[in-house]
Amino acid sequence: MREWFIVGCGWLGTAFGRSRLQLGERVLATRRDLSLLAPEFSSVSFARGAAAALSDRESFAGVLFAAGPAGPSVAEYQAVYEDLLNELLDVPAISRSRLLVASSTAVIGDARGAWIDEGYAVPPASPTARVIYDAERRLASHHGSACALRFGGLYGPGRSTLLKTLILGQPSYTHQPKHFVNRVHLADCVGAMGHLFITGALAPELFVVDDEPASQLSVVTWLAEQYGLPTPIAREPRRPNNGSKRCSNARLKATGYRFRYPTFREGYAALAAELGLRRQG
């Protein structure tokens, strides 16, 4: 029976783990607070170090590193993407397994709204995003079967704040009409990871984003029109964005993966249906 190992079993890691359990496979997982771990997973503590905790494992069907920092500081990012990741790369069972590391489109700097692929090499301006960017470089040189997954903005069941805000009649959007946001539904995050693990089609980095980067204005306007929700009101950005770019998913598609929700329209329509909303007209 296949056994999977998940490091950082929050929203994304839990969804992936449950997809493996549905196939009758085993999941070993860990997270910062083990009391919050989904009860259906087997747990392991790193209190004595990762190597000691995994000394009885030869390898895994796949290892997902989806750990997140405890807070917003550079030091907290380094604790995850330097200290913890480096420790794991030295564990024999992990070095013998396919490894996917959750990264972000934020590791790429501003492209002024242009379409880019994984070869676009402008580092991010954000110090915390730079920590993740540097981790990608180390990963590529230390593990022969690893891939950094540059996820766009994740949304899906359990993470639908934008839609719920519209429903509650408190609609607003960030007034940046030329700022493109790259998104991806949780179901496609899980689907893409399963596909890459099984096929072994691992490039050093892959954008995991849907087909259509779109401004927040485009999304909230579409939702309001489709579901008869309040017209959104513009507000100024609360903090600088990480640069406008439209990330291409062509390399991921070339591995044979097909999106369940190719744009925000299909993804948010599914969320709206789950919340009991009906389209107008």
Side-chain angles (χ1 to χ4, degrees):
M1 182 185 294
R2 286 184 177 136
E3 183 179 40
W4 304 82
F5 182 41
I6 304 173
V7 181
C9 215
W11 187 63
L12 177 63
T14 298
F16 177 74
R18 285 174 173 161
S19 75
R20 299 299 98 188
L21 291 180
Q22 289 171 0
L23 298 175
E25 299 169 345
R26 289 195 298 260
V27 174
L28 179 68
T30 190
R31 60 179 297 168
R32 189 174 292 108
D33 184 349
L34 286 177
S35 69
L36 299 177
L37 189 69
E40 58 264 44
F41 301 150
S42 299
S43 65
V44 61
S45 170
F46 281 179
R48 295 182 297 111
L54 302 174
S55 61
D56 60 338
R57 259 63 175 195
E58 181 67 22
S59 64
F60 296 96
V63 177
L64 171 61
F65 183 89
S73 72
V74 170
E76 286 163 316
Y77 272 73
Q78 290 171 331
V80 172
Y81 292 102
E82 291 181 9
D83 301 343
L84 179 57
L85 183 57
N86 289 346
E87 181 182 2
L88 289 171
L89 291 175
D90 289 333
V91 175
I94 291 177
S95 65
R96 291 190 286 262
S97 307
R98 290 172 179 169
L99 171 63
L100 297 182
V101 174
S103 180
S104 167
T105 57
V107 301
I108 299 300
D110 190 13
R112 298 184 178 180
W115 280 99
I116 61 172
D117 62 16
E118 289 82 355
Y120 186 80
V122 173
S126 161
T128 52
R130 185 64 195 231
V131 172
I132 307 175
Y133 179 86
D134 291 342
E136 288 189 354
R137 307 279 73 74
R138 292 194 307 277
L139 181 68
S141 63
H142 283 81
H143 197 296
S145 298
C147 177
L149 300 180
R150 293 172 172 174
F151 290 111
L154 275 63
Y155 70 100
R159 192 175 289 187
S160 54
T161 303
L162 178 63
L163 183 54
K164 289 180 177 178
T165 298
L166 289 174
I167 295 171
L168 292 172
Q170 303 166 348
S172 66
Y173 69 93
T174 303
H175 182 59
Q176 296 173 297
K178 296 183 179 180
H179 177 68
F180 292 95
V181 178
N182 300 274
R183 298 174 178 82
V184 62
H185 192 283
L186 177 65
D188 280 310
C189 298
V190 171
M193 290 189 292
H195 168 78
L196 293 169
F197 271 131
I198 298 304
T199 62
L202 305 181
E205 304 93 19
L206 283 172
F207 285 131
V208 184
V209 296
D210 68 20
D211 292 352
E212 187 180 337
S215 68
Q216 192 177 29
L217 172 60
S218 298
V219 176
V220 296
T221 299
W222 182 84
L223 286 169
E225 292 174 349
Q226 293 294 310
Y227 296 99
L229 298 171
T231 302
I233 300 170
R235 60 175 167 78
E236 292 303 313
R238 295 176 182 175
R239 57 185 179 182
N241 63 62
N242 58 17
S244 181
K245 62 250 181 185
R246 288 181 281 181
C247 301
S248 169
N249 60 18
R251 188 176 294 183
L252 174 58
K253 284 185 169 180
T255 69
Y257 183 68
R258 295 295 174 262
F259 279 78
R260 180 175 176 183
Y261 301 113
T263 76
F264 71 85
R265 297 174 188 84
E266 294 86 358
Y268 274 106
L271 275 180
E274 291 172 7
L275 294 173
L277 295 181
R278 294 184 178 180
R279 288 192 178 184
Q280 300 296 297

